Amino acid sequence: MKDNITIGMDLGDKTHIAVALDGDGNELDIAKVVNTKAGISKYFECYKGSTVAIEAGTHSPWISRLLEQMDCTVYVGNPRKLNFIWDGIDKSDERDARLLARVCRLDHRLLWPLRHRDGQAHADLTVVKSRDILVRTRTKLISHARCVVKTNGERLPSCSADSFTKRCEEHVPSVLWPALEPVFRTIAQVSEQIHVLDSKIMQLCRQQYPETERLQQVSGV
C-alpha cells in the first residue's frame, strides 16, 4: 500500500503526465501514462492506496472510478477554482501535474474537489443526453426543410415535430422532393428513436429514480 504517496496527474486526450511525491514531498517519479484503462492500471499498479489529484474533464469520471477500484483516494479538482494552475506563464503538463500533487498534499480542500456520479448513474444520464442530441438533430432537419421550401416561395404548414413528416410531406414542391425526401425519411427515423428513448427514460424514472415523479408534476418537465 502507498497511502503516504500523493500523485498529481494532468489529464490529456491520449496521454497523461503524472508526478508522484513521497511523504516528505520529494519527487519519486515523473511519467507519461497512456490514456487507456490498461495504461492507467499498469502505472498505478505499484501505487495502489495512494492519493491522486486530477482536474475535472472529459476523462476524469471513468479515471476516478478506475483509480478508486485500485484503492486510491481520488480528488477531482474544480478547474474554475484552480486559476493558480492554468494561469501561469510557465505552463506545461508537467508543471500542472506537480502543482496538483503539491496542493493536494498540503490540503486537498484547496482543489475544491468535485464528486462524479457512479458508473450506473453516468450510463443512465447518457440515455437522456442521447435523446437530447436526437431532438436537436431533428430540429435542425426540420428547420432545413422549412427553409428550403421557403426559398422556393412557399411554406410548410405549422405542426409539431412528431407530426412533421405526415403533415408536411404533401406540401413539398415536386421540384424539391428529390432533395428533401432523404431529409423527411431521416426525420421519421429520428422521431421513432426519440420515442424509444422516451420509453427507456420513463422506465428508468419508475425503477431507479422514483423521486423524479415530483418533478414531472411541473408542466413541461
Side-chain angles (χ1 to χ4, degrees), residues 22-139:
D22 64 17
D24 296 322
N26 300 311
E27 290 189 10
L28 294 174
D29 184 28
I30 300 175
K32 180 179 291 187
V33 183
V34 179
N35 186 28
T36 62
K37 291 183 178 180
I40 292 174
S41 297
K42 180 179 179 180
Y43 176 75
F44 281 92
E45 183 65 31
C46 61
Y47 290 121
K48 289 183 177 181
S50 60
T51 299
V52 184
I54 60 178
E55 281 190 82
T58 301
H59 298 288
S60 61
W62 70 265
I63 289 176
S64 62
R65 290 193 293 269
L66 176 62
L67 293 178
E68 286 171 352
Q69 292 172 6
M70 302 182 71
D71 297 324
C72 293
T73 300
V74 184
Y75 295 104
V76 183
N78 185 344
R80 295 183 179 182
K81 301 289 187 177
L82 303 181
N83 294 22
F84 62 89
I85 291 181
W86 55 259
D87 196 25
I89 58 175
D90 57 340
K91 183 174 174 59
S92 68
D93 294 342
E94 183 179 318
R95 168 189 174 275
D96 292 352
R98 183 176 292 108
L99 279 175
L100 283 169
R102 295 198 177 283
V103 170
C104 185
R105 180 176 175 274
L106 176 65
D107 187 345
H108 71 266
R109 291 172 295 184
L110 295 174
L111 296 172
W112 295 83
L114 307 173
R115 184 67 183 175
H116 286 305
R117 301 175 180 86
D118 61 35
Q120 186 58 55
H122 178 78
D124 294 340
L125 181 61
T126 301
V127 178
V128 179
K129 291 183 176 181
S130 292
R131 181 191 183 278
D132 177 65
I133 192 65
L134 288 177
V135 169
R136 287 189 279 131
T137 298
R138 181 176 65 178
T139 299

Side-chain angles (χ1 to χ4, degrees), residues 2 4 10-11 31 39 52 64-65 75 83 92 95 98 105 111 139 143 163 171 177 196-197 207 218 220:
K2 303 290 184 179
N4 62 334
D10 184 71
L11 303 184
V52 184
S64 62
R65 290 193 293 269
Y75 295 104
N83 294 22
S92 68
R95 168 189 174 275
R98 183 176 292 108
R105 180 176 175 274
L111 296 172
T139 299
S143 296
S163 62
H171 297 278
W177 182 242
V196 170
L197 291 180
Q207 297 179 355
V218 181

